[in-house]
Amino acid sequence: TQMASSRWPDIDRWAYEAMGLRLPDWGIYWPDFLVVLVGGKIEFHEIKGKGKFSVRDKAKAKFLDARRLFPEFTFRMIARADSGWIEIL
């Protein structure tokens, strides 16, 4: 677990692949990052490199299934673009 820096004041701490979520059709889904915000809200962040995201991507299907099955958490998919990092889902 990593403590957040002053660069992201809303983040209390984060960890890489810290929690697996059981998905009925996929087995265990391991989001890239578990992010705990100040105040205790939990988010899962999935990171995609530039050009690695497509509509037929298996990772997208798992991500959307996890989002549907676990509405108590916020799920963000972030990808590298020419202009920097952007949230794509």
Side-chain angles (χ1 to χ4, degrees):
T1 301
Q2 300 289 322
M3 300 308 286
S5 70
S6 60
R7 186 172 178 186
W8 296 286
D10 296 342
I11 296 176
D12 181 45
R13 62 189 180 279
W14 59 272
Y16 178 71
E17 292 188 348
M19 183 185 292
L21 303 171
R22 185 170 302 282
L23 304 178
D25 296 332
W26 301 102
I28 303 293
Y29 166 59
W30 293 91
D32 290 332
F33 293 95
L34 167 85
V35 179
V36 181
L37 302 178
V38 172
K41 184 176 177 184
I42 294 175
E43 295 187 352
F44 291 102
H45 294 192
E46 185 72 33
I47 307 300
K48 296 292 168 198
K50 187 176 178 183
K52 293 191 177 185
F53 181 77
S54 71
V55 174
R56 293 181 294 268
D57 193 358
K58 183 177 174 181
K60 179 183 176 186
K62 286 182 177 183
F63 174 87
L64 293 173
D65 207 23
R67 180 190 271 178
R68 180 181 58 80
L69 291 168
F70 299 96
E72 63 272 26
F73 302 121
T74 298
F75 289 82
R76 300 180 188 279
M77 186 173 282
I78 300 161
R80 182 77 172 149
D82 290 335
S83 60
W85 294 96
I86 58 169
E87 187 170 338
I88 56 176
L89 288 176

